[in-house]
Amino acid sequence: MRKDSESPVVTKAARARDGLGALRHVLRRFTTPLLPDDYTQLVNPLWSVRELRGQIVSVSRATEGTVNLVIRPGWGVPVDFEAGQYIGIGVQIDGRYVWRSYSLTCSPRPAGDLLSITVRAVERGKLSNHLVGSAHPGMTVRIGAPAGDFHLTDPIPEKLLFITAGTGITPVISMLRTLADRNQFGDVTLIHSVRTDEDLLFPDVLEELRREHPGFTAIVRVTSREGRLTPETVGEIVPDVTERTAYACGPNEMLDALEAWWSELDTDEELRTERFTLDRSSEATGGEITFGHRGSCHADGATTLLEAAESAGIQLTFGCRMGICQTCVRPLTDGYVHDLRTGDVHGPGERIRTCVCVAAGDVSVDV
Ligand code: FES
């Protein structure tokens, strides 16, 4: 957890974004009263000084209800991501931008190169269902910068174990491709769980990696035939599990079980997990939240500031509600909040994402 007195870490991507921000500001001054985008879009729909954009260049069916999308990143989209990270995708549906994050499935790219993601249609998944049903070459999407802590570490551990289920394989495919691209493929085991044979994503990629890298073992467990994947099964399949750095991505239930099991193992190796949904557990106590002059309410430590405002009848602007698009960012004027996505604590004067921050005591937000 970051201490409040620490200087924020300024990454290469963040510096690049600052530079672009300055350029956007200059362009805005020269093109007022029209917005710069009114001019740039006449030339190229991917040029925008307000937002990051990309254009879908190909759509291919991966499995029933799942598509692979290849996206050309537009001007300013940072492509120096780590293998395993996700990007935000925003698309206008019924007049409102809907956002969701998707793991990148490609290895890190040279600037301007194509990006790829895999999207599965899910119940109540407004954007995912829209993309599976309607994505087409030429379609422009908004892009949120790559983010996420679930990525390969440097140096690469000698022995790796990946445990995935369903679309949880997508960030791991990026990692496997990266290991192959960098000639760093050593002793790697993947245990992947799918409901049926037809649900298996990237069978050709796995087959090619198996062929080309003798140290790679890929075990696919079909749960409709063989039963659910449990930590005990993982222990049976991988006898040297305690010698491996592990990455796991899939449903929360599977990750909870793996984390509990791993904590009991006699190992110094790390298990890193990636969850698809916001984990609302934190040390935040909740408190009285004041929204400028618009009102106040009490919220517990699992209710985000955005949700608290809405329950009090105060409408704040928002986009993705997942900490990606930054539409909901407001200045925190008093008190401390916890960011549920990162675990960071933010204090007075910082700009916070109200959709993923919860109150740690009484707080005031400038709205
Ligand atoms: S609504 Fe998108 S970051 Fe909060």
Side-chain angles (χ1 to χ4, degrees):
M1 189 177 293
R2 185 170 71 79
K3 292 199 191 78
D4 296 308
S5 56
E6 284 176 355
S7 304
V9 176
V10 181
T11 63
K12 203 164 94 191
R15 278 198 300 276
R17 282 195 291 278
D18 285 352
L20 287 168
L23 182 55
R24 288 185 176 110
H25 178 70
V26 171
L27 283 170
R28 247 178 243 125
R29 291 186 56 152
F30 275 97
T31 57
T32 303
L34 288 178
L35 290 167
D37 282 4
D38 295 331
Y39 297 100
T40 58
Q41 282 180 44
L42 292 174
V43 184
N44 187 328
L46 291 188
W47 293 354
S48 167
V49 298
R50 279 181 308 185
E51 64 212 17
L52 303 175
R53 290 185 185 163
Q55 190 171 58
I56 294 174
V57 296
S58 84
V59 181
S60 57
R61 181 179 173 279
T63 64
E64 182 64 40
T66 310
V67 290
N68 293 324
L69 303 181
V70 178
I71 300 170
R72 182 182 307 289
W75 182 56
V77 174
V79 289
D80 53 344
F81 64 92
E82 305 278 354
Q85 288 191 307
Y86 54 79
I87 54 168
I89 296 290
V91 174
Q92 203 168 32
I93 303 173
D94 301 332
R96 210 193 106 209
Y97 268 92
V98 181
W99 285 80
R100 197 186 182 291
S101 55
Y102 297 98
S103 296
L104 288 156
T105 55
C106 48
S107 53
R109 317 263 84 189
D113 217 341
L114 302 175
L115 303 172
S116 60
I117 60 172
T118 296
V119 180
R120 169 164 288 173
V122 289
E123 199 185 343
R124 294 199 298 275
K126 194 167 184 179
L127 178 54
S128 297
N129 297 346
H130 180 80
L131 288 172
V132 169
S134 309
H136 56 271
M139 180 176 171
T140 302
V141 297
R142 287 191 184 179
I143 292 187
D149 298 327
F150 188 74
H151 56 74
L152 285 177
T153 53
D154 189 17
I156 302 293
E158 222 169 280
K159 290 182 166 189
L160 283 164
L161 170 63
F162 297 109
I163 308 163
T164 57
T167 49
I169 198 173
T170 50
V172 169
I173 285 292
S174 172
M175 295 186 198
L176 295 173
R177 282 173 160 161
T178 303
L179 292 173
D181 287 356
R182 294 180 184 164
N183 278 329
Q184 290 180 309
F185 226 107
D187 185 341
V188 179
T189 296
L190 163 70
I191 303 177
H192 179 53
S193 157
V194 287
R195 205 171 53 78
T196 68
D197 293 302
E198 291 69 38
D199 292 328
L200 178 61
L201 291 165
F202 305 104
D204 46 343
V205 176
L206 296 178
E207 192 46 50
E208 189 182 329
L209 291 172
R210 260 196 208 115
R211 257 198 327 267
E212 296 189 355
H213 301 279
F216 180 47
T217 306
I219 296 158
V220 176
R221 187 179 178 93
V222 180
T223 57
S224 58
R225 263 200 323 265
E226 303 167 86
R228 288 240 310 268
L229 179 66
T230 65
E232 292 68 31
T233 323
V234 173
E236 284 163 22
I237 297 173
V238 190
D240 61 350
V241 66
T242 55
E243 297 167 22
R244 292 176 180 272
T245 299
Y247 289 80
C249 185
N252 284 343
E253 203 181 19
M254 178 186 97
L255 300 182
D256 289 343
L258 283 171
E259 283 175 343
W261 175 68
W262 197 269
S263 68
E264 300 290 320
L265 291 180
D266 182 17
T267 179
D268 293 331
E269 298 296 338
E270 193 185 2
L271 167 68
R272 305 178 74 147
T273 56
E274 173 86 322
R275 291 170 186 270
F276 293 144
T277 53
L278 195 63
D279 179 358
R280 288 178 181 258
S281 57
S282 81
E283 291 167 15
T285 52
E288 188 74 10
I289 307 170
T290 304
F291 298 98
H293 298 297
R294 295 175 63 186
S296 63
C297 66
H298 186 88
D300 62 25
T303 303
T304 66
L305 270 52
L306 177 61
E307 291 165 344
E310 289 170 343
S311 67
I314 300 165
Q315 294 307 317
L316 304 182
T317 50
F318 64 84
C320 64
R321 302 180 79 98
M322 299 176 71
I324 304 166
C325 69
Q326 306 206 26
T327 308
C328 67
V329 168
R330 308 300 314 165
L332 182 65
T333 50
D334 201 14
Y336 291 86
V337 297
H338 286 208
D339 185 317
L340 291 175
R341 278 175 73 101
T342 62
D344 287 349
V345 176
H346 298 287
E350 291 191 74
R351 293 173 62 78
I352 57 160
R353 298 169 201 211
T354 56
C355 68
V356 288
C357 282
V358 295
D362 295 346
V363 299
S364 296
V365 188
D366 184 359
V367 296

